[in-house]
Amino acid sequence: MNLEANLSQIRSLFPVTRELVYLDLGGRAPLATPVRAALDAYLDDCMYGRIDKSVLFETTEKVRDQFAALINCHPDEVTYTKNTSEGLNMVCTAMQWRSGDNVIICPELEHPNNIYLWLNLRQHGVEVRFVHHENGFMPVDAMIAAMDERTRLLTASSISFSPGFRTDLEKVGRACRANGTVFLVDGAQSVGVSHTDVKQMNIDALSVSTQKGMLGLYGMGFLYIRRELAEKLRPAYIARFSIDMGNADAHESDFGGSDFKFMAAARRFDLGNYNFPAVCAAHASLELILKIGTKEIDAYVTSLATKLADGFTELGLPVCGGAPGPHTGQIVTVGQYGSGGDSGTNDELLNGLYRYLLANKVKLSMRRGLLRFSMHIYNNMDEIKVVLGLTRKYIGELK
């Protein structure tokens, strides 16, 4: 589908566009009407006793297929999670760590949920190597240089939640594969809105949740694990769905005996019943995303971000990362990185602008002292002009 040619139709699926200029995808996505309809249908079936669990399992597999198509992998390499953090922990706890191993991470650019789990490994003699950011950019070259023969894993966000720059995943992935190091990516801020090809990027494992770029709900996510890696891992938790019964028609309550075999690849991480409401929501939202295509979505949203960043720069505001470039994705941030928290910044002009935009129905967020604007397919260039116009007016009123 040509996104720009069908933008009016696409925007009509998101009622939020009639109420707000919604630039807070980094926090969560607004629901589209087809997603709401899928949820309503599921809840009606629950209310009137029409639930057919076999149909729900079929939908679960369809959604697994959809996500696999989204990131270019085999469905067997996909398992379900509650959220991004659970997926990261599933990989961490399934690896057989040895004293003297090391993990590489850039702490300033990761969500705390991709830091504490690695620090917890220190009790097993694992070294956590912190490689520090470079003006908000992921220190790709320094991270690669920090690897050695005992580097078991390197982890990085595909797009940081603040300041929101893209990571050169292909470069890191090539280096990790050559070194025999597991490359684990936190895709919370990118998948569904930025084009992601796990094969091209040499990603070994990718953890995401559905409430952001995939336009779904809280409480569900996906974990991709490359087959060759997955089949070397031993899950910390297993259940009936983790076990290969040798019969595709085996019932979920069947017990196959004390000698068991894991399911193929990432399916060995499947546990009990799935989050069926979120599965139904994802079925509808992924259908929309796949119909448009992530290459087109990525290009379109990056063009919006570029226009917004250029406009803020012309108004004299400190745009993180400077002029738009390869680092630009769906997030634009304004301010001095690390100049505050999630509720305020040391720059009073930006504090005031933040409140002014919210009061004028522009939904954005603040992360680590930065104003964060994040976009998806429901946004358009007129909204960018509205935000820049409000910003110009606010600055003008201060003079």
Side-chain angles (χ1 to χ4, degrees), residues 364-382:
L364 70 155
S365 55
M366 187 175 290
R367 290 293 183 271
R368 295 189 174 171
L370 303 177
L371 305 192
R372 185 179 70 179
F373 304 82
S374 45
M375 292 149 270
H376 210 321
I377 53 175
Y378 42 76
N379 295 116
N380 66 11
M381 204 61 77
D382 287 342

Side-chain angles (χ1 to χ4, degrees), residues 248-264:
D249 296 323
H251 191 269
E252 61 182 295
S253 64
D254 286 350
F255 175 60
S258 56
D259 293 327
F260 63 86
K261 176 184 175 184
F262 281 120
M263 289 288 284

Side-chain angles (χ1 to χ4, degrees), residues 90-97 118 152-153 182 229 232-234:
M90 287 162 70
V91 174
C92 175
T93 56
M95 293 181 66
Q96 305 302 304
W97 297 98
W118 310 114
R152 294 287 305 286
L153 183 144
V182 173
L229 171 62
K232 295 176 183 176
L233 300 179
R234 192 170 187 90

